[in-house]
Amino acid sequence: MAVADDLRDWVDDGLTQPEHPTWALHEEGYDPRREAGVEARFTVANGFLGVRGARSVSRGPVWVSWLHGLNWASWPRTYVAGLFDTPNTIPPVPALVPGPDWLRVQLAMDGQPVMLRTGELLHHRRTLDLERGLLVTRWHHRDPDGRTIRLRALRLVSLAERALGLQVIELTVDGRPCEITLEALLESAGSGLEPMRLEPDVALWRTALSGKTVAVAHDARVRRDHTEVAPASIEPLRRRWAWRLVPGEPAIFTRLVALARGEVETADATAARARAALDRRRTQPWRGVLEAHAAAWGARWEASDVRIDGDEAAERALRFAVYQLNSAADPDDDTVSIGARALTGDAYLGHVFWDTEIYLLPFYTLTWPEAARALLMYRFHTLDGARRKAARLGYEGALYAWESAETGDEATPEEIVDPAGRSLKILCGLEEQHISADVAYAVWKYWEATGDDGFMEEAGAEIVLETARFWASRAVREDDGRFHIRRVIGPDEYHETIDDNAYTNVMAAWNLARGVEVADWLATHRPRTRRRLERALGLGRAELAEWRAVDSGLVTGFDPASGLFEQFQGYFGLEDVPRADFAGRDAPADVVLGRARTQASQILKQADVVALLALLPERFEAAVHRANFAYYEPRCGHGSSLSRGLHAVVAARLGDVAMAHSYFHATAATDLSETLAASAGGIRIAAQGALWQAAVLGMGGLRIDAEGLAIRPNLPAAWERVVFHARWRGRRVAVEAHREPPRVNLRLVEGPPCTVRVGERRVELEAGVPRTVALG
């Protein structure tokens, strides 16, 4: 078969639509008002690279300038994980630097540029192929001279070889023959990168202050008929081809790039790594990259797909969520984590929050433990930054940054200037301290699920011990003989500088207890490591005894008579605003009612006590769960995308599956609704993690604790069957829960025999022997 025919065949294969609608997202037409949100939604990413779904063909350049009343028609971005620098902002905070734009292509017919804003748009459709991690675009356009140009394009960043990006464009023209000019550009205008080396096949840039480098090796070609078109010119950042295109005859442009991130001191090695990654694919670059990438996605879906019979919208939303979660992590790089918008947008500057540990880690721990380990190692590598923050505020141990970038030092600005020129204090970086317990929680749950003693010995124990030490120094014994933690912000961020936040204090006590437990485990099972940490940390028996005292004496706000936690001291005395005054609005409660009234009320921004119920279900009796959910659920304004997913988890566990199902779909709408403005800055990745938790940990009924795997499904009426997989201590278990008749099918896919609790029964699993358990 001729080279051109063979290439056309696999281009056709790559552009084939997924067979089932729940495996794809589509965007018809082109609306500049929606474009920024669409681009975030249609991102392709692999945890190292993230490329927004912006148009690549015949768009104008983008640079940073004062736009006043204008808006960018597009916001193309390629993000490189860990590429941080501090821009010239007030206040100065580190931010993720956009990488070079390697996708831009300029077309001209008979010397006239082909632009979306000139001529007539006949058809424009983008498809995000979730199953294979591809963005496919079809664009038909009539130019002012009446000729129609038809383009089909695909792009990917490889899940098999994370350095690689691939772009393919097929173009044909209807009408009379014409002279086609195609320019392939490599740009960094306005991105904050400074060129170090610009060569025909590799370009190297550096950040201005942080000493980071990024290299791009690139190879681009045009083929028509059975031949390759020779470039008319080759420059370091631009290649140009010109040829006469016959109507109906396709031409295929292909571009393969390889990116590498490094340090200024090793810039030559960074460029060499990018070039080597590209060279490995030069012999058969296009087909091999696509096939390896699709195979890698197939493996991820086998481990993490969630299938739902009876609710197609729910299945599609879950596949979008799982796609985004699998796209966000890189198990091969433990120096980076996942920011609040992953690698899909500029919002929050790439900073890492508690979102990662509380909303994302459960997914990775139970479907991709290698990725979970890498994310937790990021917290270990930034432990010194957490120590510096604790010391700066006068405490011991480790207080993790509320917003973290490369070093783990606090990246939250202490004040900002609003559009009116007023200075606004930002207290989260000082007062939202529960994050240290959140990190310890994620460490412990990973260890509990994986049995990775090597991780606990190498990194996890030190994190748990140092965060426990922080809480022991943070809590103060007062005249009542109890320990208090004052002047904090809980997950409900509407109320600041509060005392004895229930979530903070209960999680702190939990963290202290786990600190004692891990010290005991080390003494019994890893005595050499225990001695090493005792010397390195100055940890002694007297300090551990103090931790026990703080744990048992810490005020939590719990009232045994009512079974309620008071969210913080004085909360029950605040105005109880009727739900009708703030619920169901397009704007959050603090905008509807004003900040002052909201702060003086019981209205919550997001799950706070309810988050405790979700994270520590075994710690509280069923009556406590019911009482607190009944009290706090009506008072939550859900002013954060994080909130509804945890409410779905708790509602499902309490048996209110109709409410859980409603909260599930409300969470799914976070980045899938027709209103895309809030997604322009990137996908809310924590909401995607919360959606998975709602489906699997809530309605799917999966739980992992010290005893192992437990399953108690709570399926809504619309869900006939839900199927998912879970990893536990070297095993993979397939779970299939049916609503009618209620039953659970289990299959041990890999690993040694194990026991699974289904409802009140214990079921022994071994490979090759499926089991069915009827539920009463």
Side-chain angles (χ1 to χ4, degrees):
M1 181 180 287
V3 171
D5 294 335
D6 184 52
L7 183 60
R8 182 86 187 278
D9 286 344
W10 82 257
V11 169
D12 287 339
D13 181 61
L15 292 167
T16 300
Q17 300 292 314
E19 293 183 3
H20 197 279
T22 62
W23 282 113
L25 296 183
H26 304 286
E27 176 72 13
E28 300 284 352
Y30 175 75
D31 183 349
R33 296 166 299 181
R34 291 170 48 85
E35 184 63 11
V38 170
E39 291 172 0
R41 182 185 290 179
F42 284 71
T43 294
V44 292
N46 60 17
F48 173 57
L49 301 174
V51 182
R52 284 168 62 91
R55 294 181 299 110
S56 59
V57 177
S58 292
R59 55 172 162 79
V62 175
W63 63 89
V64 177
S65 66
W66 179 251
L67 292 177
H68 193 51
L70 304 177
N71 293 302
W72 289 114
S74 178
W75 197 242
R77 282 286 195 258
T78 291
Y79 299 101
V80 181
L83 191 66
F84 283 100
D85 200 11
T86 302
N88 186 31
T89 59
I90 299 175
V93 293
L96 194 63
V97 180
D101 179 3
W102 55 276
L103 288 163
R104 188 172 169 226
V105 172
Q106 292 289 87
L107 286 176
M109 294 193 298
D110 290 335
Q112 296 301 311
V114 178
M115 301 294 290
L116 192 64
R117 59 177 178 258
T118 61
E120 180 185 0
L121 177 65
L122 302 176
H123 174 71
H124 193 275
R125 188 188 212 209
R126 273 169 287 190
T127 297
L128 183 62
D129 183 336
L130 303 172
E131 188 173 15
R132 296 182 295 169
L134 302 174
L135 177 59
V136 177
T137 302
R138 287 171 170 80
W139 177 27
H140 300 170
H141 196 80
R142 183 177 292 126
D143 77 351
D145 293 332
R147 291 168 299 194
T148 299
I149 185 167
R150 305 176 188 274
L151 292 98
R152 301 193 300 168
L154 71 82
R155 75 177 64 156
L156 64 87
V157 288
S158 175
L159 200 67
E161 300 175 74
R162 286 183 168 80
L164 300 181
L166 175 64
Q167 177 186 33
V168 181
I169 300 171
E170 179 197 69
L171 62 98
T172 57
V173 173
D174 297 339
R176 65 181 186 276
C178 63
E179 296 294 326
I180 288 285
T181 301
L182 184 152
E183 287 188 327
L185 306 167
L186 182 61
E187 297 182 323
S188 64
S191 72
L193 295 173
E194 301 173 354
M196 292 183 70
R197 180 194 306 173
L198 302 177
E199 298 175 2
D201 65 339
V202 66
L204 179 70
W205 291 269
R206 61 161 295 165
T207 57
L209 300 175
S210 64
K212 297 291 181 185
T213 58
V214 59
V216 183
H218 51 104
D219 181 67
R221 302 166 190 242
V222 173
R223 290 183 175 88
R224 56 182 290 266
D225 195 9
H226 299 295
T227 60
E228 183 171 323
V229 178
S233 64
I234 298 178
E235 302 172 31
L237 302 180
R238 183 188 304 260
R239 294 189 184 192
R240 185 172 65 87
W241 294 263
W243 71 97
R244 188 165 183 79
L245 190 61
V246 177
E249 175 191 84
I252 298 175
F253 166 78
T254 54
R255 171 157 46 184
L256 182 68
V257 298
L259 285 82
R261 185 195 74 230
E263 309 291 332
V264 168
E265 295 79 8
T266 56
D268 290 343
T270 303
R273 281 192 289 115
R275 184 179 277 123
L278 187 70
D279 288 344
R280 285 193 294 270
R281 283 297 180 182
R282 283 189 188 277
T283 54
Q284 192 190 20
W286 324 121
R287 180 185 293 275
V289 170
L290 179 61
E291 290 176 347
H293 171 72
W297 267 108
R300 290 300 325 129
W301 283 116
E302 183 180 359
S304 59
D305 188 23
V306 181
R307 287 173 288 166
I308 298 173
D309 292 348
D311 191 345
E312 189 172 281
E315 183 175 79
R316 178 171 169 266
L318 270 170
R319 283 182 168 154
F320 176 75
V322 172
Y323 166 82
Q324 295 291 347
L325 292 164
N326 281 324
S327 297
D330 181 359
D332 299 323
D333 188 352
D334 63 10
T335 67
V336 300
S337 187
I338 299 172
R341 300 298 178 99
L343 296 174
T344 69
D346 291 339
Y348 296 106
L349 308 178
H351 292 177
V352 180
F353 293 75
W354 73 310
D355 308 23
T356 306
E357 283 71 34
I358 298 304
Y359 293 88
L360 307 185
L361 257 296
F363 168 81
Y364 297 118
T365 295
L366 297 175
T367 70
W368 199 2
E370 299 82 3
R373 192 184 204 276
L375 292 168
L376 292 171
M377 287 301 297
Y378 163 82
R379 291 299 192 181
F380 178 69
H381 294 316
T382 57
L383 186 57
D384 282 344
R387 289 184 176 115
R388 287 191 290 269
K389 179 180 177 181
R392 178 170 59 86
L393 296 179
Y395 304 116
E396 298 178 5
L399 172 56
Y400 277 96
W402 181 243
E403 298 185 33
S404 180
E406 180 188 6
T407 66
D409 291 293
E410 184 59 70
T412 308
E414 294 191 9
E415 66 176 20
I416 60 173
V417 178
D418 73 4
R422 296 169 298 192
S423 179
L424 301 179
K425 296 289 185 183
I426 304 297
L427 298 177
C428 295
L430 296 173
E431 295 186 358
E432 201 148 359
Q433 298 172 353
H434 61 80
I435 187 167
S436 275
D438 302 331
V439 173
Y441 176 87
V443 166
W444 195 267
K445 300 306 285 186
Y446 168 80
W447 187 42
E448 197 171 64
T450 64
D452 187 351
D453 292 346
F455 164 78
M456 184 56 80
E457 183 177 12
E458 175 190 355
E462 192 167 349
I463 292 173
V464 174
L465 293 170
E466 284 289 77
T467 50
R469 172 176 275 174
F470 164 73
W471 291 117
S473 73
R474 181 66 176 84
V476 176
R477 190 193 298 269
E478 298 186 4
D479 292 343
D480 60 358
R482 305 293 301 279
F483 287 91
H484 298 263
I485 300 177
R486 301 195 180 276
R487 300 183 65 81
V488 299
I489 298 173
D492 162 30
E493 295 168 335
Y494 285 161
H495 300 91
E496 300 172 327
T497 318
I498 57 175
D499 298 331
D500 289 328
N501 169 245
Y503 179 93
T504 300
N505 288 21
V506 171
M507 291 296 289
W510 182 93
N511 194 167
L512 287 159
R514 299 294 78 74
V516 172
E517 190 172 342
V518 79
D520 291 343
W521 178 81
L522 289 170
T524 302
H525 300 283
R526 298 291 190 276
R528 184 175 298 176
T529 302
R530 167 70 182 260
R531 291 191 294 271
R532 174 179 62 80
L533 288 175
E534 284 178 342
R535 290 192 298 270
L537 305 180
L539 182 65
R541 296 182 184 277
E543 186 172 2
L544 293 174
E546 177 66 11
W547 294 3
R548 294 186 182 94
V550 177
D551 171 22
S552 62
L554 194 56
V555 169
T556 64
F558 181 68
D559 175 23
S562 65
L564 289 176
F565 283 94
E566 185 174 29
Q567 185 177 298
F568 55 85
Q569 190 179 101
Y571 172 84
F572 288 149
L574 299 178
E575 179 189 4
D576 193 2
V577 178
R579 188 170 192 166
D581 288 2
F582 64 89
R585 311 297 180 89
D586 293 334
D590 59 333
V591 174
V592 173
L593 302 178
R595 188 179 184 193
R597 187 183 178 195
T598 303
Q599 289 179 326
S601 77
Q602 292 187 13
I603 299 171
L604 321 177
K605 178 181 178 180
Q606 60 184 321
D608 196 301
V609 172
V610 169
L612 271 183
L613 306 180
L615 267 57
L616 302 174
E618 70 287 343
R619 192 178 178 99
F620 314 114
E621 296 179 355
V624 174
H625 280 267
R626 287 192 296 270
N628 282 277
F629 190 73
Y631 189 88
Y632 285 103
E633 186 273 334
R635 291 165 172 80
C636 187
H638 304 293
S640 165
S641 61
L642 309 181
S643 184
R644 292 181 175 89
L646 287 191
H647 278 76
V649 171
V650 177
R653 288 173 177 168
L654 288 172
D656 193 341
V657 292
M659 180 183 285
H661 191 237
S662 176
Y663 272 128
F664 173 91
H665 280 288
T667 304
T670 301
D671 287 302
L672 286 179
S673 70
E674 287 303 306
T675 304
L676 278 163
S679 299
I683 293 299
R684 276 69 63 90
I685 191 66
Q688 310 310 319
L691 192 73
W692 180 89
Q693 290 190 49
V696 175
L697 306 186
M699 290 174 281
L702 177 67
R703 195 158 78 196
I704 291 186
D705 54 29
E707 294 185 52
L709 280 171
I711 300 164
R712 189 184 294 270
N714 304 281
L715 300 189
W719 292 17
E720 300 168 6
R721 183 185 70 142
V722 61
V723 181
F724 57 87
H725 287 214
R727 297 277 296 274
W728 179 74
R729 302 201 172 195
R731 302 159 176 88
R732 181 156 63 94
V733 177
V735 180
E736 184 179 303
H738 295 256
R739 188 172 57 83
E740 293 294 342
R743 66 193 186 278
V744 174
N745 298 337
L746 298 172
R747 181 168 53 90
L748 182 61
V749 179
E750 60 185 64
C754 64
T755 300
V756 178
R757 288 166 289 151
V758 181
E760 304 302 325
R761 294 182 55 185
R762 291 181 175 270
V763 181
E764 302 295 327
L765 291 184
E766 56 183 87
V769 183
R771 299 291 303 274
T772 297
V773 181
L775 300 172

